[in-house]
Amino acid sequence: MMLKTAKSLLLATLFSVSTLATAAEPFTLAPLPYAADALAPVIDKATMQIHHGKHHQAYVNNLNGQVATFPDLAQLPLEAIMSRMSRYNDAVRNNAGGHYNHQLFWQIMAPAGQGGEPSTELQKAIERDFGSLVALQNAFNQAAATRFGSGWAWLILDENNKLVVTSTANQDNPLMDVVDVQGTPILALDVWEHAYYLQYQNKRGDYATAWWKLVNWQKVNELHRSALN
């Protein structure tokens, strides 16, 4: 009887420790939605492994480290954290932003030839707001090329359901209440050097141009539909 009681207490303790560990680390790194070499030759395997397994993992780890300071982080979806970013410190801004941005980035890419095309609805919106898909790509690539230092290029849907190209520094994004141009991201390009330097060195423009072969338009179409209000 005493042995059974001791075993029950041990199991209860282990369960409690496991629950606490899970509660203390509410943010996790999801696997890539494709193999690390699936985006080659546009993005090489080594870059993907380092980018996802090292850089993105670091943002997740550091964000979990901020939960003790800001307990509400554990109860909020990432999008809600973005919308109230002005309440937090730079560590949350950088790491929550990094986590959100990269989660989106992996999803809006697919192996070349598997991403589909813009939906009829999105194509009409692109033609309305940019004139053509080529014009959008040129504007987007320009935003990527002219972002000084590290950051991101974005295609967003603003509050008027208009498509807008913008860019942000570091790990900021257009969902944050601390950036100048706000909206719902539907397309994103990481222009930090760690995203392309092994393969493209200082040729960010070449990286941005080649990257369009990887756009997962099926996901972008989904994000566009969801963002329409």
Side-chain angles (χ1 to χ4, degrees):
M1 187 68 163
M2 291 180 61
L3 181 60
K4 184 176 181 180
T5 302
K7 184 178 180 180
S8 299
L9 289 172
L10 176 59
L11 290 173
T13 301
L14 289 173
F15 177 77
S16 298
V17 170
S18 175
T19 302
L20 288 171
T22 303
E25 296 188 346
F27 303 101
T28 58
L29 178 64
L32 287 169
Y34 32 71
D37 61 354
L39 305 184
V42 178
I43 303 179
D44 61 283
K45 180 179 179 179
T47 294
M48 291 299 296
Q49 290 175 324
I50 296 169
H51 197 172
H52 176 263
K54 302 296 184 182
H55 289 281
H56 191 176
Q57 183 68 67
Y59 293 124
V60 172
N61 293 345
N62 292 335
L63 179 57
N64 281 323
Q66 290 297 310
V67 173
T69 304
F70 300 100
D72 63 308
L73 293 173
Q75 310 302 321
L76 295 171
L78 281 172
E79 291 81 0
I81 295 172
M82 301 301 114
S83 70
R84 49 197 280 165
M85 192 57 70
S86 57
R87 306 183 186 189
Y88 301 115
N89 59 18
D90 285 345
V92 174
R93 179 173 177 172
N94 292 332
N95 292 292
H99 185 25
Y100 171 85
N101 295 353
H102 285 87
Q103 276 197 161
L104 177 65
F105 189 50
W106 311 135
Q107 293 174 25
I108 53 88
M109 293 190 292
Q114 298 182 25
E117 301 290 341
S119 65
T120 300
E121 186 176 38
L122 178 56
Q123 183 66 40
K124 288 180 178 179
I126 290 171
E127 292 172 355
R128 179 196 67 210
D129 295 329
F130 295 96
S132 68
L133 178 58
V134 171
L136 162 61
Q137 291 171 326
N138 289 339
F140 191 92
N141 289 353
Q142 180 68 9
T146 56
R147 167 47 57 188
F148 183 77
S150 300
W152 292 74
W154 303 92
L155 177 64
I156 65 173
L157 200 68
D158 71 9
E159 60 182 4
N160 299 313
N161 287 338
K162 179 181 179 181
L163 294 172
V164 177
V165 165
T166 186
S167 70
T168 56
N170 301 318
Q171 293 297 349
D172 285 356
N173 64 61
L175 286 179
M176 292 182 177
D177 64 347
V178 292
V179 300
D180 294 332
V181 181
Q182 297 181 15
T184 304
I186 65 171
L187 191 63
L189 177 62
D190 189 344
V191 295
W192 282 64
E193 287 188 342
H194 65 239
Y196 63 88
Y197 207 82
L198 286 181
Q199 187 167 351
Y200 295 90
Q201 286 78 51
N202 63 327
K203 299 176 182 178
R204 184 191 286 182
D206 290 353
Y207 158 66
T209 299
W211 174 80
W212 285 98
K213 299 174 184 176
L214 303 179
V215 172
N216 183 1
W217 287 108
Q218 297 172 69
K219 182 63 177 181
V220 177
N221 294 336
E222 176 188 323
L223 292 170
H224 178 245
R225 285 193 299 270
S226 297
L228 288 169
N229 51 45

